[in-house]
Amino acid sequence: MLNKLHIEHYKQLEPDMNSPKPNGFKAFPKGDTAYINPVEDVKFTGIIEFVPGTGVRGNHYHKNKLEILYIITGQIKALYWEADNPDEITEIIHTKGDKITIPPHIGHGFEAIQHTIALEMTTTAFDMADTFYKQT
């Protein structure tokens, strides 16, 4: 299952500033910059806040949507599973600078370890009908 999930540690990825779509992370004295450019054009963006002590956020999968999550600040515990095997869960800790590409049919839920801000991007238009929540 994890071979379908793509995690990039952007803080370790030097962007090619000569590229029209640089990808990576640069630390500057005045503040860090993350260059996040998926291969396909972005159709939807959102900023998500994760608050410690409030439980798991998400807990769903999509049949069509490829979801990209970039951790701006903080630390979250991610729970991943295949849609047809919801009981086999993989836990991963994500921190500032992680870019996670979640393909369709991979379930995901996130719980804040620290107060976390993340950027969500998708290469498909937003469609709430494509969100299928995990049965608990």
Side-chain angles (χ1 to χ4, degrees), residues 35 40 56 63 84 105:
Y35 300 90
E40 294 182 53
V56 176
K63 289 184 180 178
D84 60 356
H105 297 276

Side-chain angles (χ1 to χ4, degrees), residues 114-130:
Q114 300 172 351
H115 185 262
T116 300
I117 302 292
L119 170 66
E120 177 187 347
M121 299 177 289
T122 67
T123 55
T124 57
F126 182 83
D127 181 4
M128 194 61 196
D130 185 42

